[in-house]
Amino acid sequence: PVQLPSGDLRFFYGEQFTFEEGIPLVLVQSDPDGQDWTPVRPEKFHPADALWAEDGSVLLIRTYTGEYGSADRSAQIVLVRMDESPLQVLLEAENIQQMEWGP
């Protein structure tokens, strides 16, 4: 989760598990005490890692493509803007780990 300058929170939430999909998560925003959730993006995500901009306006997600355990499974870094711009795949590779902002 990330706390916005206004005190509101943005975070992933999911409650339905299926063996086919795992747990699809939606990106929501709430007031500072965690009440009044509002969806921020229409997509469902399966993030393995998430890296927020300090102001909460941009999010990088590491996610995987392909079937779990398959040889053709790879990771993607996806740029998610909170202004409803289309998702943008920035990188796709086999061994992407431990994302962090640079200096």
Side-chain angles (χ1 to χ4, degrees):
V2 66
Q3 187 164 28
L4 305 175
S6 66
D8 287 355
L9 304 170
R10 283 196 181 143
F11 55 94
F12 289 100
Y13 175 77
E15 59 185 39
Q16 280 190 307
F17 172 81
T18 66
F19 287 106
E20 298 80 26
E21 280 193 275
I23 303 174
L25 303 175
V26 292
L27 189 55
V28 298
Q29 183 167 323
S30 74
D31 58 19
D33 63 356
Q35 303 298 312
D36 299 323
W37 295 10
T38 305
V40 177
R41 297 284 310 202
E43 302 87 359
K44 293 186 179 177
F45 298 94
H46 291 85
D49 196 7
L51 191 60
W52 289 95
E54 283 186 30
D55 66 358
S57 64
V58 174
L59 170 65
L60 292 177
I61 298 174
R62 179 172 50 102
T63 188
Y64 291 97
T65 63
E67 296 279 323
Y68 181 76
S70 73
D72 65 343
R73 188 168 161 95
S74 65
Q76 288 183 332
I77 302 297
V78 179
L79 175 65
V80 182
R81 292 183 178 95
M82 299 303 125
D83 64 1
E84 298 184 23
S85 299
L87 301 178
Q88 184 178 0
V89 176
L90 300 177
L91 177 67
E92 187 166 348
E94 290 185 20
N95 293 311
I96 302 172
Q97 298 180 11
Q98 298 177 336
M99 297 187 313
E100 60 184 67
W101 295 114

